[in-house]
Amino acid sequence: MSKILTIGEILVEIVATNRGNGFREAVPLIGPFPSGAPAIFIDQVGKLGQECAIISRVGDDDFGWVNINRLTEDGVDVSGIEVLAMGTTGSAFVRYREDGGRNFVFNIRNSACGEIELSDKTLALIDTCTHMHVMGTALYAPSVVTSILTAVERIKAAGGTVSFDPNLRPEILDSPGMREALQTVLSKTDLFMPSGEELFLFAEAKTEKEAVAELLAKGIKAIVVKRGDKGASYFDKDTQVDLSSYKVEEIDPTGAGDCFGATFVTFWLKGMHPAEVLRYANASGARAVTKAGPMEGASTRAELDALIQAQGNA
């Protein structure tokens, strides 16, 4: 029986209800919504009934407890979340622009999860897990990087597996220690899940086919290239699967890639055929955008089955 672990930021998201540029004026807001890429990922894993856990830190405040309560309700082991009596839970204020882009105001580095150090308790939790999922967004501070690499090493040493969703922008790759951390994670990765052009941040090749071949030759077992509303593709040494997306009305795209990744990892670990796994992941990403709030569109398997049956095999 597998148990999936992730480590990283937990925060709340507060969203402006009208479109515009940033927050230099008073605007109406909705929230707080539970958020943070690792938290969204692991919440979706839990909703699918898969055993899972997260290691992070929150403040002993309403923003922290809205996250802990949601994760607990959805079946996530929250024993690795440290609650700081004098800490403040991270936050992200989000406003959509007229062009569809987004402006953010983050408080992560100076929040409770700005540092995540492992204890005897969380090391013991790591040793109960068989799979580690690394989010590139979580490589934001030296202590968090150290904790993630420790978990990767321990789980791999015990015969477990690692998945890696880079979720990165090219301009942050020059942060101190970032490239080294990324390459270390990649060298331990079994399942690599880049979005579009991220594939080329980790390969010298200039075409997708050549980049996939280059990365598979390094020992990665499988690669999933996410293409948003254009679907996704799966590659291993013997197989390629390309599936288009499901058509839905988009309300809020935040968290869709995290839900896609969580669903793919969950069913991939069950040994299902890659085409079936990709179909479920596409359905999960599609359902995620139909709700306002990053975790609000997380799906049960029954909800995914209903979407697949309604629209047929994408």
Side-chain angles (χ1 to χ4, degrees), residues 137-153:
T137 60
L139 302 172
Y140 55 83
S143 67
V144 189
V145 171
T146 298
S147 294
I148 288 171
L149 295 181
T150 298
V152 166
E153 293 287 353

Side-chain angles (χ1 to χ4, degrees), residues 27-279:
V27 294
L29 303 165
I30 55 172
F33 295 110
S35 191
I40 300 165
F41 170 90
I42 211 68
D43 185 74
Q44 176 59 84
V45 173
K47 286 206 77 166
L48 292 171
Q50 169 65 49
E51 192 175 3
C52 60
I54 184 170
I55 294 173
S56 188
R57 300 202 312 174
V58 298
D60 188 8
D61 53 28
D62 287 351
F63 289 174
W65 287 106
V66 76
N67 274 282
I68 292 173
N69 292 343
R70 171 64 64 84
L71 293 169
T72 301
E73 289 167 9
D74 290 342
V76 178
D77 178 349
V78 298
S79 65
I81 300 176
E82 182 183 359
V83 180
L84 301 183
M86 301 301 291
T88 300
T89 303
S91 60
F93 286 76
V94 187
R95 190 179 188 189
Y96 284 84
R97 300 191 300 268
E98 293 294 346
D99 63 6
R102 291 173 287 176
N103 292 111
F104 291 91
V105 177
F106 285 108
N107 173 31
I108 296 177
R109 292 182 186 274
N110 296 313
S111 73
C113 66
E115 293 186 3
I116 301 174
E117 296 181 343
L118 298 176
S119 63
D120 289 344
K121 178 181 177 181
T122 49
L123 286 169
L125 175 62
I126 289 169
D127 291 342
T128 70
C129 297
T130 60
H131 182 88
M132 174 66 184
H133 182 73
V134 180
M135 306 290 299
T137 60
L139 302 172
Y140 55 83
S143 67
V144 189
V145 171
T146 298
S147 294
I148 288 171
L149 295 181
T150 298
V152 166
E153 293 287 353
R154 290 174 81 106
I155 287 173
K156 288 289 284 190
T161 49
V162 171
S163 52
F164 178 31
D165 180 348
N167 201 8
L168 292 169
R169 299 184 306 277
E171 60 267 24
I172 71 169
L173 287 173
D174 292 327
S175 299
M178 176 65 80
R179 287 185 180 272
E180 293 81 359
L182 291 171
Q183 289 303 322
T184 299
V185 172
L186 191 68
S187 71
K188 303 291 185 180
T189 294
D190 299 284
L191 172 62
F192 184 47
M193 310 183 73
S195 294
E197 295 300 309
E198 285 180 342
L199 181 69
F200 300 105
L201 298 177
F202 297 88
E204 296 183 6
K206 302 303 180 185
T207 68
E208 180 176 278
K209 181 178 180 180
E210 291 172 342
V212 166
E214 179 183 331
L215 291 169
L216 289 174
K218 292 182 177 180
I220 294 172
K221 294 177 182 176
I223 297 172
V224 177
V225 178
K226 297 175 287 181
R227 310 185 196 278
D229 62 4
K230 296 179 177 60
S233 298
Y234 169 90
F235 305 89
D236 62 29
K237 63 183 180 63
D238 301 314
T239 308
Q240 177 175 342
V241 179
D242 302 294
L243 292 181
S244 58
S245 63
Y246 291 95
K247 304 307 175 187
V248 296
E249 180 183 359
E250 180 179 300
I251 303 299
D252 183 357
T254 306
D258 305 320
C259 289
F260 174 103
T263 304
F264 193 95
V265 170
T266 297
F267 290 132
W268 181 73
L269 288 171
K270 293 182 185 297
M272 292 166 57
H273 189 277
E276 188 176 10
V277 179
L278 198 60
R279 192 170 294 117

